[in-house]
């Protein structure tokens, strides 16, 4: 075997890509290289390990190099793979919506836990994005009616595509700025939302993957970040039936200010729930 051929084994290529990513400040450099190469070759990570000595052909190398270059420019891994897992779903992701985050999976458990047992509940997801919460409810929670809205027509379209992609029916999707497009008379048992809550003032500290590729509309909630969640809490009150619950994902450290702002309406109870890192990530308000 010639020297050039030997330098193009799967292991050599992986090592090179991983080193290159590392030099560009990418945290999971080795994992990202493996997942991208697996994507090009149609192999699981385990298959890669079994094939470390296999040489790559030029066509495979070209496809891999193109992806490596984009990832090196800090395009999110999930955009390059085209999909991301979320609970029981595989969601298509692109620039139309925020990439669903792992901690958001927990909000679906909170919704399930707080539904009124024994009767059909009516639920609204405000800001469906790519559809993670809305479609998880459609898939996992039976005996309920789910509505979803988003200010972005692109995001709603992505949610519809993700419904089809996961073999689910997506009805009741409305374009709406908070509740503006939701019929006045509708009252919900549960309103759930992962609203934009990052502060404009945090922009320069964000990872390039987030800052440059997640839509700003889905990310920033105002100069401090809590402004939009606060408006949402205010507006949600009259959209809930008596005894209904609002469940929100919020930013680290925002619980005290949001609870203080929520005091302008009479909520029966306000509490928080932690994410996997123990941060108060979810706010629960009972009407
Ligand atoms: N959790 C996301 C982040 O920190 C933000 C999500 C949101 O604003 N809802 O990047």
């Amino acid at each position: 075997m010639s020297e050039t051929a030997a330098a193009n084994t799967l292991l050599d290529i992986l090592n090179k890509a991983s080193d290159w990513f590392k030099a560009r400040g990418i945290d999971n450099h080795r994992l990202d290289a493996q997942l991208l190469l697996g994507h090009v070759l149609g192999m699981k990570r385990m298959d890669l390990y079994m094939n470390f000595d296999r040489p790559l052909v030029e066509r495979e190398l070209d496809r891999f190099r193109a992806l490596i270059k984009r990832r090196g420019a800090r395009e999110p891994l999930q955009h390059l793979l085209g999909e991301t897992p979320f609970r029981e779903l595989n969601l298509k992701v692109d620039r139309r919506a925020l990439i669903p985050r792992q901690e958001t999976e927990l909000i679906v458990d909170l919704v399930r836990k707080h539904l009124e047992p024994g009767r059909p509940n009516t639920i609204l997801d405000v800001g469906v994005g790519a559809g993670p919460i809305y479609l998880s409810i459609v898939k996992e929670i039976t005996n309920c009616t789910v509505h979803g809205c988003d200010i972005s027509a692109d995001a709603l379209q992505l949610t519809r595509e993700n419904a089809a992609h996961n073999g689910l029916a997506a009805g009741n999707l409305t374009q709406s700025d908070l509740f503006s497009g939701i019929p006045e008379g509708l009252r919900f048992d549960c309103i759930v939302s992962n609203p934009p809550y990052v502060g404009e003032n945090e922009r320069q500290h964000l990872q390039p993957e987030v800052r440059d590729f997640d839509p700003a509309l889905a990310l920033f909630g105002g100069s401090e970040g809590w402004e939009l969640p606060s408006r949402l809490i205010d507006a949600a009150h009259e959209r809930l039936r008596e005894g209904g619950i609002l469940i929100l994902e919020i930013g680290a450290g925002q619980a005290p200010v949001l609870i203080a702002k929520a005091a302008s309406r009479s909520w029966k109870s306000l509490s928080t729930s932690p994410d996997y890192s123990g941060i108060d990530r979810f706010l629960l308000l009972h009407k």
Side-chain angles (χ1 to χ4, degrees):
M1 205 189 273
S2 77
E3 258 193 317
T4 28
N8 282 345
T9 66
L10 208 144
L11 183 60
D12 294 325
I13 295 296
L14 266 182
N15 286 338
K16 274 193 225 161
S18 172
D19 290 347
W20 198 69
F21 284 168
K22 192 174 178 185
R24 269 151 194 80
I26 294 171
D27 286 340
N28 300 316
H29 42 94
R30 185 138 200 99
L31 179 62
D32 282 18
Q34 291 172 347
L35 291 172
L36 287 171
L37 187 57
H39 181 66
V40 166
L41 300 178
M43 286 185 181
K44 297 207 182 332
R45 277 170 73 209
M46 187 54 87
D47 301 328
L48 297 178
Y49 295 130
M50 316 278 272
N51 286 280
F52 273 162
D53 294 335
R54 168 183 178 306
L56 292 188
V57 299
E58 205 50 46
R59 195 168 40 85
E60 293 165 338
L61 274 174
D62 285 347
R63 286 190 56 210
F64 188 52
R65 281 196 199 104
L67 290 177
I68 291 298
K69 203 170 153 202
R70 289 168 65 186
R71 185 70 191 100
R74 305 299 294 268
E75 193 165 338
L77 178 75
Q78 295 91 331
H79 284 190
L80 299 176
L81 298 177
E83 293 198 331
T84 198
F86 186 91
R87 293 181 68 98
E88 298 176 12
L89 309 168
N90 258 319
L91 297 174
K92 298 205 290 173
V93 285
D94 56 37
R95 283 175 177 264
R96 286 177 288 177
L98 193 87
I99 295 172
R101 314 288 205 256
Q102 210 195 348
E103 64 264 25
T104 304
E105 293 185 336
L106 293 171
I107 210 170
V108 180
D109 294 319
L110 292 175
V111 170
R112 188 205 298 279
K113 190 171 148 193
H114 288 91
L115 290 181
E116 202 75 23
R119 63 173 185 84
N121 283 250
T122 306
I123 307 171
L124 171 66
D125 177 8
V126 179
V128 290
I133 302 172
Y134 172 81
L135 292 174
S136 291
I137 295 172
V138 170
K139 174 143 194 188
E140 297 182 45
I141 304 183
T142 50
N143 197 25
C144 72
T145 309
V146 204
H147 296 251
C149 64
D150 204 293
I151 193 171
S152 156
D154 275 351
L156 290 167
Q157 181 53 27
L158 182 56
T159 289
R160 285 191 195 98
E161 290 169 24
N162 273 324
H165 191 55
N166 288 273
L168 299 169
N172 302 328
L173 285 171
T174 313
Q175 190 172 8
S176 176
D177 181 1
L178 292 181
F179 300 96
S180 66
I182 305 295
E184 286 281 344
L186 273 182
R187 290 290 174 273
F188 298 96
D189 299 292
C190 176
I191 297 174
V192 60
S193 182
N194 173 19
Y197 58 68
V198 174
E200 294 276 1
N201 60 10
E202 297 167 57
R203 188 189 281 270
Q204 83 248 40
H205 304 297
L206 296 174
Q207 295 283 337
E209 288 86 349
V210 176
R211 189 191 60 218
D212 302 336
F213 293 91
D214 277 328
L217 198 59
L219 203 56
F220 297 111
S223 73
E224 302 284 333
W226 50 258
E227 294 90 337
L228 185 112
S230 177
R231 276 210 290 133
L232 171 53
I233 291 172
D234 221 29
H237 192 270
E238 65 176 12
R239 302 296 183 136
L240 287 168
R241 67 158 179 82
E242 286 302 319
I245 187 165
L246 171 63
I247 304 177
L248 283 188
E249 183 174 321
I250 59 171
Q254 291 179 345
V257 63
L258 287 172
I259 287 174
K261 299 265 170 207
S264 63
R265 305 250 187 214
S266 50
W267 295 96
K268 261 191 213 118
S269 74
L270 301 99
S271 58
T272 59
S273 179
D275 64 14
Y276 297 114
S277 335
I279 294 170
D280 280 340
R281 179 65 61 192
F282 307 102
L283 195 58
L284 297 92
L285 300 96
H286 262 114
K287 177 168 170 180

